[in-house]
Amino acid sequence: MSLDDMKRLVRQHIELSWNKGRLALAEQLQSKDFLYKSSFISRPFNSAAYCRMVQNIREAMPDLEVVVEECIAEGNKVVTWCTLIGSIQKPALGYPPSDKVLSISAMAFWTINSLGEVQEICTMFDMESFRAQLGLSTQHLAEKALP
């Protein structure tokens, strides 16, 4: 699979899952041993748990749009920088509803297996900016590092 093919696969996965909610189709792009890891979940998710999480977030944020800002591939890895835009209309992941339109930056590291399937996604979200946009308390980096 070429680097451009891998980038197309990742963009298609994002479009089907996050933007359209076509989770059964997105799941077809994933390997049988698919894992999802993230900065906001405590343990890795398999494909079914990942789909439930995406569905729950999409239900809480029906206006959600994920914009791919950058997509880079090397070897069997793809890295994306995305911006999630939308408002929380129902409680999600422990956060309250808000009428504010939020903009959340996320980086994801994708592993593509030899069959051209998404084997793993590992995401990091800018949760401090997200919390600040919701008007929730945040901690400055220096305060977190101090005992």
Side-chain angles (χ1 to χ4, degrees):
M1 181 172 239
S2 74
L3 297 179
D4 284 338
D5 289 339
M6 291 191 322
K7 292 191 289 188
R8 268 190 292 280
L9 172 70
V10 165
R11 287 177 183 274
Q12 181 182 22
H13 192 279
I14 292 168
E15 188 65 22
L16 288 171
S17 58
W18 290 101
N19 288 334
K20 293 184 176 174
R22 307 286 306 270
L23 298 168
L25 291 175
E27 204 168 11
Q28 291 178 15
L29 303 177
Q30 298 168 184
S31 66
K32 291 184 189 316
D33 60 346
F34 172 84
L35 279 180
Y36 176 76
K37 303 171 185 175
S38 179
S39 58
F40 69 85
I41 59 174
S42 60
R43 60 179 171 70
F45 285 171
N46 65 15
S47 186
Y50 170 77
C51 288
R52 281 192 303 276
M53 178 200 67
V54 172
Q55 183 176 10
N56 290 341
I57 292 172
R58 286 183 45 78
E59 286 172 1
M61 300 179 74
D63 59 347
L64 178 67
E65 180 183 359
V66 177
V67 177
V68 178
E69 308 286 354
E70 191 72 54
C71 187
I72 300 168
E74 183 177 318
N76 70 332
K77 303 282 187 191
V78 176
V79 178
T80 55
W81 164 38
C82 294
T83 303
L84 291 76
I85 303 165
S87 56
I88 302 175
Q89 296 178 16
K90 295 181 190 175
L93 300 170
Y95 293 98
S98 172
D99 59 352
K100 297 176 181 175
V101 176
L102 306 170
S103 174
I104 308 155
S105 288
M107 297 288 294
F109 296 84
W110 304 67
T111 302
I112 310 302
N113 69 16
S114 60
L115 300 174
E117 302 166 325
V118 177
Q119 185 169 5
E120 183 175 295
I121 307 170
C122 182
T123 60
M124 293 177 286
F125 290 85
D126 183 354
M127 297 307 287
E128 287 300 300
S129 171
F130 172 69
R131 291 177 57 77
Q133 290 175 63
L134 285 173
L136 302 173
S137 65
T138 61
Q139 274 187 308
H140 295 286
L141 188 57
E143 292 171 353
K144 288 180 194 177
L146 296 175

